[in-house]
Amino acid sequence: MIVYHASKKGFIKDVFNGNIADEIDHAFVTHLGRHTSPNEVLSWKNSMMHMYKVINTPDIPDTSSIAIEYQIPLTSKRIDFIISGLDEKQKGNIVIIELKQWEQAQLSNKSGIIKTRFQHGESEVAHPSYQAWSYAYMLTNYNETIREQEIMLSPCAFLHNYQPDNVITDICYTEYIRKAPVFLKNDAQKLQDFIKQRIKFGAKDDIIWLIDKGKLRPSKQLADTLDSMLHGNQEFVLLDDQKVVYETALKMARDSVTGKKQVLIVKGGPGTGKSVVAINLLTQLTKEGLVAQYVSKNAAPRDVYTVKLSGSFRKGFINNLFVGSGSFIDTQENIFDALIVDEAHRLNMKSGLYSNLGENQILKIIHAAKFSVFFVDDRQKVHIKDIGSQRNIEKFAHSCDAITHSVKLSSQFRCNGSDGYLSWLDNTLQITETANIRLSSEDYDFRIFSSPNELFETIKAKNKINNRARVVAGYCWDWNSKKDPTHFDIVIPEHNFKKRWNLNSDKNLWIIGDDSVNEIGCIHTCQGLELDYIGVIVGKDMIYKNNRIVTDVTQRSKHDQSVKGFKSLLKTHKEQALQDADEIIKNTYRTLMTRGSKGCYVYFCDPAIAEHFMNQLQPLHKEKKEIRIEPEINNDVKYIDFLPLYSAKAACGYFGEGEIVDELGWIRVEGMGKLNRNMYVVQAVGHSMEPTIHDGDYCVFRSNPAGSRQGKIVLAQHHNFYDANYAGGYSIKTYISKKKYNENGNWMHEEIALEPQNPNYNPIIINEENAEDFRIVGEFVGIVKLND
């Protein structure tokens, strides 16, 4: 997603006039529905002035393109500054610049990590060169257009306040500085030369725009890359906080081999890459010869990983890598070098089939390993027996006298990379109040269906792409088909909807089964895994009443083990029981609604909660949103690929009276034949020409058209008549002429009517008395189509 976009000339103008920070902030509101922080606005003011000085040279073409805060597709990461154009061989080139206001830094003994001071204190972060390189890698990895058009990406970092020292350029960072050079306070000329070598000419087609609207590659699924990773191949480049967590865990694991027991707690919400970091740790520690295992309470991820690896590795090797959380009941102390616990919030007090074995799963895991890392999200507790909270892990780590460290993953790599979606979901589910009150379709593909059948068919259509779409539901229906496969489980009579829970034969492999799209999964078959699209059926255990989300545990199936024991607890500790049940139900739906990397489609059994969710969505205005208006373009594409956009007033003045007026911008126009200088674009206002022209449509007109205007749509200027749609004397209407013979036997206009197509509006009548007050200045050609 492009936040701020302009030509180099336009960027120079915005900085020179002191508008750049306001322009970027305005773009934030337009695209993301929110203002950014005052500190970020201040950083733009400072950093963009330095970039202004760097690129303000005639050797960098005015028609090269600038993008600021460009969001990498399918992630929440934003690139600070991009400049694009053509090199001396007329090849597309993009320079990616990571901007920092740092003044000092300290070395770290972790690969690609450096220490610097922020307002809240000193922190470890990815080295700016690593950061710039990893962003370029991710952009290339996600975008098919870059590969197809052989566009070259050149990453670098610019620390414009940083005096040269032996820290930021230390030899330990050479690997990444070689991939992405770092420029310091006195290196503005060097950075300018770096850009000049790569950007010699402006491109006919805006490269940044092509990439932003280009075809995306299918995102990698962790389960599909395990084989390659265990063979030593790099499948995922870790970004920012992922890199910090990974390197921190590696160091702690290595230190614990000969030192004191260590425990790392990694906090992170859905889609922050907990499992990706966990598997990367497993493969690296195994490669280093350490005895490491991947641990999870939920069997579904383990079984999926096992199937994906079968045929490439011995079964015994696989079984030793992926184990359940109840495997350490009688394990000797420190027998493992490292235990990597994914979905640690699902850990239980006891182990075994009947939850009657062992002392405590957290304690047993810490006891069994020299180093243990727990990936936890307290808001994914979905079972009454789940005890793996951050507080409990810290308590048991301290009881074992372990060195304990806590870090956080915050960057979003699911749900279209939208941090805003997760905040919106928490706010809408009334889990936590956030500032994200409305969800835009730009944030994430979230849809509400009025029919479960329509939801199901839509997911099945999505699944045909690559078998990565499924429907799940809250456990509000008994699993009758478990005993009798002919029975249906999820039955919604008013829609004649009948489906079965995932078949027992698939067990935990439902999420990758060839035919399992016809079945409905639950929390236990998808937690810890992800899909491209998830369909969610919300049962009567969560409704909306008196402006509140109300949960009702009694609507859960009697087979649901996640709330087993609730009735007993209700008798002795009613308030605590209701609070626990409310948390489990909301967390369950929150987890289900965050399984889809590209989209989440929902059917609510309760119409009131469906309306509540619908009210939290921003209305769709695709026509207004997706038509791109370029402030400036190259002269050689004007009236060839692009037409000027005018206000109705300007168009009437320019084409009717010969006035010189400024265009509002330029719009790419396709499918309307050969363009010429008599053509222009005007945005329609109001509803008088519906259904042909809608409010907000961008309409192409041609001035001085030849032939009859009868029955054609025209742009008219008129005096002494007020059209409310255009706040004055301009109209888009259908031209209807009634003619008669005059006394000389020639045709003459008896009356001209400017007719609306919407019957709720009145025509404008032109006759002999007011004919001089009207001028037809354009004939309608067509509507600019939305970009695909």
Side-chain angles (χ1 to χ4, degrees):
M1 178 194 299
I2 303 175
V3 175
Y4 172 92
H5 187 209
S7 65
K8 174 207 149 184
K9 181 179 179 181
F11 170 77
I12 293 290
K13 179 181 177 182
D14 284 339
V15 177
F16 181 79
N17 291 330
N19 298 330
I20 187 64
D22 294 334
E23 289 293 328
I24 301 173
D25 189 48
H26 175 72
F28 250 77
V29 175
T30 300
H31 291 287
L32 304 177
R34 60 180 175 83
H35 290 279
T36 188
S37 69
N39 286 339
E40 194 161 19
V41 173
L42 183 61
S43 72
W44 291 332
K45 289 181 180 179
N46 296 332
S47 293
M48 296 310 150
M49 180 58 72
H50 288 277
M51 286 309 304
Y52 165 86
K53 295 175 182 177
V54 168
I55 68 172
N56 191 17
T57 168
D59 294 331
I60 298 175
D62 284 348
T63 51
S64 56
S65 294
I66 304 292
I68 299 172
E69 299 291 348
Y70 177 80
Q71 184 172 335
I72 302 173
L74 305 178
T75 80
S76 61
K77 309 312 298 181
R78 302 197 307 265
I79 297 173
D80 290 336
F81 195 94
I82 292 176
I83 181 168
S84 74
L86 303 178
D87 61 18
E88 59 184 6
K89 296 180 180 180
Q90 298 291 316
K91 291 288 188 180
N93 234 295
I94 285 181
V95 177
I96 290 174
I97 305 172
E98 180 64 26
L99 297 170
K100 300 293 184 189
Q101 298 191 77
W102 300 0
E103 296 182 355
Q104 59 181 358
Q106 295 182 39
L107 292 175
S108 168
N109 53 8
K110 302 170 186 174
S111 175
I113 303 299
I114 196 165
K115 299 176 184 177
T116 190
R117 181 167 293 277
F118 298 98
Q119 284 187 329
H120 58 272
E122 189 177 85
S123 296
E124 288 188 323
V125 295
H127 187 280
S129 291
Y130 177 91
Q131 194 174 10
W133 165 75
S134 64
Y135 285 1
Y137 181 95
M138 292 293 285
L139 190 57
T140 304
N141 193 52
Y142 280 135
N143 201 290
E144 197 74 26
T145 302
I146 293 175
R147 184 181 65 83
E148 290 175 350
Q149 300 201 13
E150 298 181 339
I151 298 169
M152 178 67 69
L153 270 63
S154 302
C156 65
F158 184 27
L159 284 65
H160 47 75
N161 295 336
Y162 199 104
Q163 292 283 3
D165 62 8
N166 295 322
V167 175
I168 197 75
T169 54
D170 187 85
I171 192 172
C172 68
Y173 303 118
T174 300
E175 174 188 356
Y176 302 112
I177 293 175
R178 192 178 292 125
K179 295 176 179 178
V182 59
F183 300 100
L184 307 180
K185 184 174 183 178
N186 300 327
D187 294 336
Q189 183 62 57
K190 293 180 180 178
L191 175 58
Q192 186 181 92
D193 292 341
F194 182 84
I195 297 171
K196 284 159 53 177
Q197 290 171 9
R198 292 157 176 80
I199 310 294
K200 296 284 188 180
F201 310 99
K204 177 181 177 181
D205 293 318
D206 188 330
I207 296 173
I208 297 173
W209 175 246
L210 287 177
I211 289 175
D212 190 55
K213 294 301 178 185
K215 180 181 177 182
L216 297 181
R217 291 182 180 180
S219 58
K220 291 181 181 179
Q221 299 290 309
L222 180 59
D224 295 333
T225 59
L226 269 177
D227 191 334
S228 177
M229 292 170 69
L230 288 173
H231 278 100
N233 299 317
Q234 184 181 47
E235 291 288 347
F236 293 92
V237 167
L238 304 176
L239 300 186
D240 298 349
D241 46 11
Q242 290 182 336
K243 174 71 169 172
V244 174
V245 170
Y246 172 76
E247 295 295 341
T248 299
L250 278 182
K251 183 178 185 306
M252 292 178 70
R254 293 161 180 163
D255 290 347
S256 66
V257 172
T258 56
K260 196 174 180 181
K261 184 188 292 288
Q262 301 207 35
V263 172
L264 177 64
I265 302 169
V266 182
K267 299 173 289 182
T272 51
K274 298 188 296 295
S275 296
V276 168
V277 176
I279 296 298
N280 271 275
L281 278 173
L282 178 68
T283 56
Q284 181 60 34
L285 292 173
T286 302
K287 186 163 57 175
E288 293 182 12
L290 299 183
V291 180
Q293 287 186 335
Y294 171 97
V295 183
S296 72
K297 164 68 169 60
N298 193 355
R302 302 198 312 270
D303 290 353
V304 169
Y305 297 160
T306 299
V307 167
K308 292 290 184 179
L309 292 172
S310 62
S312 297
F313 296 93
R314 290 180 293 104
K315 185 176 181 181
F317 172 78
I318 300 172
N319 291 338
N320 281 331
L321 281 183
F322 303 98
V323 299
S325 58
S327 304
F328 309 98
I329 299 171
D330 300 315
T331 304
Q332 182 181 337
E333 184 175 7
N334 294 338
I335 194 69
F336 295 98
D337 293 313
L339 290 177
I340 302 161
V341 189
D342 205 359
E343 306 289 324
H345 37 268
R346 294 299 325 278
L347 295 176
N348 291 171
M349 180 68 73
K350 299 285 186 177
S351 301
L353 181 62
Y354 301 103
S355 300
N356 61 345
L357 301 177
E359 182 180 353
N360 178 291
Q361 288 188 349
I362 299 173
L363 188 62
K364 287 296 181 181
I365 289 169
I366 295 173
H367 178 269
K370 299 170 186 175
F371 167 69
S372 49
V373 52
F374 296 85
F375 293 86
V376 61
D377 178 4
D378 288 348
R379 291 182 184 170
Q380 288 197 56
K381 175 185 176 182
V382 297
H383 198 292
I384 201 167
K385 293 181 180 178
D386 292 349
I387 65 163
S389 65
Q390 178 186 353
R391 186 171 67 175
N392 280 339
I393 296 169
E394 288 175 342
K395 180 180 71 174
F396 290 114
H398 292 151
S399 72
C400 294
D401 195 29
I403 298 172
T404 306
H405 189 55
S406 178
V407 289
K408 185 176 182 179
L409 288 169
S410 57
S411 302
Q412 180 55 227
F413 297 90
R414 197 184 292 158
C415 305
N416 198 35
S418 173
D419 294 318
Y421 172 66
L422 295 178
S423 296
W424 172 84
L425 191 57
D426 284 343
N427 189 81
T428 305
L429 286 171
Q430 297 177 352
I431 294 174
T432 303
E433 286 191 11
T434 71
N436 296 71
I437 307 301
R438 295 286 185 273
L439 181 70
S440 165
S441 59
E442 282 193 3
D443 290 327
Y444 185 53
D445 185 7
F446 183 89
R447 306 184 199 175
I448 298 171
F449 286 76
S450 58
S451 163
N453 294 295
E454 185 183 357
L455 166 69
F456 206 85
E457 292 305 314
T458 302
I459 288 294
K460 287 180 68 175
K462 292 290 187 184
N463 189 64
K464 291 180 180 177
I465 301 171
N466 54 9
N467 195 31
R468 291 179 184 168
R470 294 291 187 276
V471 177
V472 294
Y475 203 177
C476 296
W477 293 270
D478 292 345
W479 192 0
N480 298 315
S481 64
K482 186 175 184 179
K483 292 183 178 180
D484 185 348
T486 64
H487 282 192
F488 290 99
D489 304 312
I490 299 91
V491 178
I492 305 175
E494 59 269 33
H495 291 282
N496 194 28
F497 181 82
K498 298 178 180 179
K499 299 295 176 184
R500 296 182 178 92
W501 287 116
N502 49 283
L503 298 179
N504 218 18
S505 57
D506 285 332
K507 295 186 178 178
N508 298 312
L509 301 179
W510 165 83
I511 204 165
I512 59 171
D514 292 333
D515 299 317
S516 58
V517 68
N518 296 305
E519 307 153 11
I520 292 181
C522 67
I523 186 67
H524 305 299
T525 50
C526 69
Q527 190 172 21
L529 297 164
E530 71 171 5
L531 295 154
D532 283 352
Y533 293 91
I534 191 75
V536 182
I537 297 176
V538 178
K540 290 291 184 69
D541 57 340
M542 191 169 74
I543 63 173
Y544 191 71
K545 188 176 181 180
N546 297 327
N547 298 321
R548 297 297 303 168
I549 297 282
V550 178
T551 57
D552 183 358
V553 72
T554 65
Q555 293 293 326
R556 285 290 189 103
S557 166
K558 61 179 179 292
H559 299 152
D560 183 11
Q561 296 295 309
S562 66
V563 290
K564 187 177 181 180
F566 168 79
K567 291 182 178 179
S568 299
L569 186 62
L570 192 63
K571 295 175 182 177
T572 56
H573 299 84
K574 182 178 180 180
E575 186 174 334
Q576 184 63 47
L578 291 173
Q579 182 177 326
D580 289 349
D582 183 76
E583 181 183 9
I584 288 170
I585 292 171
K586 287 183 177 180
N587 284 353
T588 297
Y589 285 119
R590 179 183 188 266
T591 303
L592 294 178
M593 291 183 191
T594 53
R595 296 305 93 191
S597 62
K598 296 181 179 179
C600 175
Y601 304 157
V602 187
Y603 169 76
F604 296 94
C605 290
D606 174 44
I609 197 171
E611 183 179 2
H612 164 66
F613 267 74
M614 188 68 74
N615 289 337
Q616 312 310 309
L617 300 177
Q618 285 186 1
L620 292 175
H621 295 294
K622 289 190 176 181
E623 291 83 0
K624 296 179 182 178
K625 181 187 69 176
E626 295 187 14
I627 296 297
R628 184 166 187 84
I629 302 171
E630 300 293 345
E632 297 177 27
I633 58 172
N634 297 341
N635 287 331
D636 58 356
V637 296
K638 292 179 178 179
Y639 303 103
I640 297 174
D641 298 311
F642 288 82
L643 290 177
L645 170 66
Y646 294 113
S647 67
K649 179 179 180 180
C652 290
Y654 183 53
F655 290 98
E657 299 168 1
E659 296 180 7
I660 302 299
V661 298
D662 291 328
E663 66 273 358
L664 299 175
W666 294 81
I667 292 179
R668 179 183 288 274
V669 176
E670 298 175 340
M672 298 192 191
K674 188 175 181 180
L675 308 183
N676 60 60
R677 291 186 176 274
N678 286 330
M679 299 173 74
Y680 54 95
V681 181
V682 169
Q683 187 175 23
V685 181
H687 306 277
S688 66
M689 291 301 290
E690 292 178 348
T692 301
I693 300 174
H694 292 82
D695 182 38
D697 281 346
Y698 289 93
C699 303
V700 176
F701 287 90
R702 181 186 292 110
S703 65
N704 304 318
S708 171
R709 297 170 179 157
Q710 182 70 6
K712 295 179 179 179
I713 298 173
V714 298
L715 173 64
Q717 178 184 25
H718 37 77
H719 303 288
N720 301 320
F721 182 87
Y722 185 84
D723 188 331
N725 276 341
Y726 289 88
Y730 319 99
S731 293
I732 297 176
K733 297 287 187 291
T734 301
Y735 185 99
I736 302 296
S737 173
K738 297 179 181 179
K739 297 180 178 180
K740 66 178 181 179
Y741 286 107
N742 62 14
E743 56 187 14
N744 297 320
N746 297 321
W747 281 106
M748 63 172 290
H749 291 292
E750 177 182 17
E751 179 181 275
I752 296 173
L754 300 180
E755 294 276 1
Q757 292 189 2
N758 187 333
N760 294 325
Y761 291 77
N762 296 320
I764 301 171
I765 304 301
I766 305 173
N767 50 39
E768 291 183 4
E769 296 179 359
N770 60 7
E772 293 182 358
D773 293 334
F774 287 86
R775 178 186 291 113
I776 306 301
V777 296
E779 178 184 297
F780 177 71
V781 178
I783 298 171
V784 180
K785 300 298 183 183
L786 299 175
N787 294 290
D788 295 330

PDB file of all heavy atoms in Angstrom, residues 533-544:
ATOM      1  N   TYR A 533      -7.905 -18.098   3.565  1.00  0.00           N
ATOM      2  CA  TYR A 533      -9.237 -17.579   3.872  1.00  0.00           C
ATOM      3  C   TYR A 533      -9.902 -18.485   4.901  1.00  0.00           C
ATOM      4  O   TYR A 533      -9.873 -19.703   4.790  1.00  0.00           O
ATOM      5  CB  TYR A 533     -10.106 -17.505   2.617  1.00  0.00           C
ATOM      6  CG  TYR A 533      -9.636 -16.483   1.617  1.00  0.00           C
ATOM      7  CD1 TYR A 533      -8.738 -16.840   0.608  1.00  0.00           C
ATOM      8  CD2 TYR A 533     -10.065 -15.164   1.687  1.00  0.00           C
ATOM      9  CE1 TYR A 533      -8.280 -15.899  -0.305  1.00  0.00           C
ATOM     10  CE2 TYR A 533      -9.621 -14.215   0.778  1.00  0.00           C
ATOM     11  CZ  TYR A 533      -8.729 -14.588  -0.209  1.00  0.00           C
ATOM     12  OH  TYR A 533      -8.279 -13.647  -1.111  1.00  0.00           O
ATOM     13  N   ILE A 534     -10.511 -17.872   5.898  1.00  0.00           N
ATOM     14  CA  ILE A 534     -11.227 -18.606   6.935  1.00  0.00           C
ATOM     15  C   ILE A 534     -12.679 -18.153   6.957  1.00  0.00           C
ATOM     16  O   ILE A 534     -12.970 -16.959   6.886  1.00  0.00           O
ATOM     17  CB  ILE A 534     -10.576 -18.403   8.327  1.00  0.00           C
ATOM     18  CG1 ILE A 534     -11.147 -19.377   9.348  1.00  0.00           C
ATOM     19  CG2 ILE A 534     -10.693 -16.967   8.786  1.00  0.00           C
ATOM     20  CD1 ILE A 534     -10.651 -20.765   9.207  1.00  0.00           C
ATOM     21  N   GLY A 535     -13.587 -19.119   6.965  1.00  0.00           N
ATOM     22  CA  GLY A 535     -15.001 -18.821   7.173  1.00  0.00           C
ATOM     23  C   GLY A 535     -15.373 -19.219   8.588  1.00  0.00           C
ATOM     24  O   GLY A 535     -14.994 -20.307   9.040  1.00  0.00           O
ATOM     25  N   VAL A 536     -16.086 -18.374   9.299  1.00  0.00           N
ATOM     26  CA  VAL A 536     -16.405 -18.625  10.707  1.00  0.00           C
ATOM     27  C   VAL A 536     -17.922 -18.555  10.914  1.00  0.00           C
ATOM     28  O   VAL A 536     -18.555 -17.562  10.537  1.00  0.00           O
ATOM     29  CB  VAL A 536     -15.718 -17.601  11.636  1.00  0.00           C
ATOM     30  CG1 VAL A 536     -16.025 -17.920  13.104  1.00  0.00           C
ATOM     31  CG2 VAL A 536     -14.212 -17.581  11.408  1.00  0.00           C
ATOM     32  N   ILE A 537     -18.475 -19.612  11.489  1.00  0.00           N
ATOM     33  CA  ILE A 537     -19.881 -19.607  11.893  1.00  0.00           C
ATOM     34  C   ILE A 537     -19.922 -19.379  13.397  1.00  0.00           C
ATOM     35  O   ILE A 537     -19.397 -20.183  14.176  1.00  0.00           O
ATOM     36  CB  ILE A 537     -20.571 -20.933  11.524  1.00  0.00           C
ATOM     37  CG1 ILE A 537     -20.582 -21.122  10.003  1.00  0.00           C
ATOM     38  CG2 ILE A 537     -21.999 -20.969  12.067  1.00  0.00           C
ATOM     39  CD1 ILE A 537     -21.151 -22.441   9.546  1.00  0.00           C
ATOM     40  N   VAL A 538     -20.519 -18.269  13.793  1.00  0.00           N
ATOM     41  CA  VAL A 538     -20.608 -17.902  15.212  1.00  0.00           C
ATOM     42  C   VAL A 538     -21.954 -18.372  15.742  1.00  0.00           C
ATOM     43  O   VAL A 538     -23.008 -17.938  15.269  1.00  0.00           O
ATOM     44  CB  VAL A 538     -20.445 -16.378  15.401  1.00  0.00           C
ATOM     45  CG1 VAL A 538     -20.589 -16.017  16.877  1.00  0.00           C
ATOM     46  CG2 VAL A 538     -19.094 -15.922  14.858  1.00  0.00           C
ATOM     47  N   GLY A 539     -21.910 -19.258  16.724  1.00  0.00           N
ATOM     48  CA  GLY A 539     -23.135 -19.829  17.268  1.00  0.00           C
ATOM     49  C   GLY A 539     -23.834 -18.930  18.268  1.00  0.00           C
ATOM     50  O   GLY A 539     -23.446 -17.774  18.479  1.00  0.00           O
ATOM     51  N   LYS A 540     -24.848 -19.472  18.915  1.00  0.00           N
ATOM     52  CA  LYS A 540     -25.640 -18.704  19.874  1.00  0.00           C
ATOM     53  C   LYS A 540     -24.930 -18.528  21.224  1.00  0.00           C
ATOM     54  O   LYS A 540     -25.495 -17.952  22.138  1.00  0.00           O
ATOM     55  CB  LYS A 540     -26.986 -19.405  20.098  1.00  0.00           C
ATOM     56  CG  LYS A 540     -27.919 -19.348  18.898  1.00  0.00           C
ATOM     57  CD  LYS A 540     -28.424 -17.923  18.667  1.00  0.00           C
ATOM     58  CE  LYS A 540     -29.450 -17.861  17.529  1.00  0.00           C
ATOM     59  NZ  LYS A 540     -30.719 -18.502  17.848  1.00  0.00           N
ATOM     60  N   ASP A 541     -23.689 -19.028  21.333  1.00  0.00           N
ATOM     61  CA  ASP A 541     -22.951 -18.817  22.581  1.00  0.00           C
ATOM     62  C   ASP A 541     -22.409 -17.403  22.678  1.00  0.00           C
ATOM     63  O   ASP A 541     -21.895 -16.995  23.718  1.00  0.00           O
ATOM     64  CB  ASP A 541     -21.807 -19.826  22.731  1.00  0.00           C
ATOM     65  CG  ASP A 541     -20.829 -19.786  21.575  1.00  0.00           C
ATOM     66  OD1 ASP A 541     -21.195 -19.278  20.493  1.00  0.00           O
ATOM     67  OD2 ASP A 541     -19.698 -20.289  21.743  1.00  0.00           O
ATOM     68  N   MET A 542     -22.536 -16.617  21.597  1.00  0.00           N
ATOM     69  CA  MET A 542     -22.140 -15.210  21.644  1.00  0.00           C
ATOM     70  C   MET A 542     -23.166 -14.390  20.875  1.00  0.00           C
ATOM     71  O   MET A 542     -23.345 -14.566  19.672  1.00  0.00           O
ATOM     72  CB  MET A 542     -20.737 -15.015  21.053  1.00  0.00           C
ATOM     73  CG  MET A 542     -20.165 -13.622  21.315  1.00  0.00           C
ATOM     74  SD  MET A 542     -18.401 -13.471  20.899  1.00  0.00           S
ATOM     75  CE  MET A 542     -18.516 -13.454  19.096  1.00  0.00           C
ATOM     76  N   ILE A 543     -23.872 -13.514  21.606  1.00  0.00           N
ATOM     77  CA  ILE A 543     -24.921 -12.684  21.014  1.00  0.00           C
ATOM     78  C   ILE A 543     -24.684 -11.228  21.399  1.00  0.00           C
ATOM     79  O   ILE A 543     -23.718 -10.907  22.105  1.00  0.00           O
ATOM     80  CB  ILE A 543     -26.322 -13.150  21.473  1.00  0.00           C
ATOM     81  CG1 ILE A 543     -26.470 -12.975  22.994  1.00  0.00           C
ATOM     82  CG2 ILE A 543     -26.572 -14.599  21.068  1.00  0.00           C
ATOM     83  CD1 ILE A 543     -27.874 -13.251  23.510  1.00  0.00           C
ATOM     84  N   TYR A 544     -25.586 -10.362  20.924  1.00  0.00           N
ATOM     85  CA  TYR A 544     -25.471  -8.933  21.232  1.00  0.00           C
ATOM     86  C   TYR A 544     -26.784  -8.470  21.854  1.00  0.00           C
ATOM     87  O   TYR A 544     -27.848  -8.675  21.272  1.00  0.00           O
ATOM     88  CB  TYR A 544     -25.187  -8.139  19.954  1.00  0.00           C
ATOM     89  CG  TYR A 544     -24.791  -6.703  20.184  1.00  0.00           C
ATOM     90  CD1 TYR A 544     -23.542  -6.384  20.732  1.00  0.00           C
ATOM     91  CD2 TYR A 544     -25.650  -5.664  19.839  1.00  0.00           C
ATOM     92  CE1 TYR A 544     -23.164  -5.065  20.919  1.00  0.00           C
ATOM     93  CE2 TYR A 544     -25.270  -4.341  20.023  1.00  0.00           C
ATOM     94  CZ  TYR A 544     -24.032  -4.049  20.570  1.00  0.00           C
ATOM     95  OH  TYR A 544     -23.660  -2.742  20.758  1.00  0.00           O
TER      96      TYR A 544
END
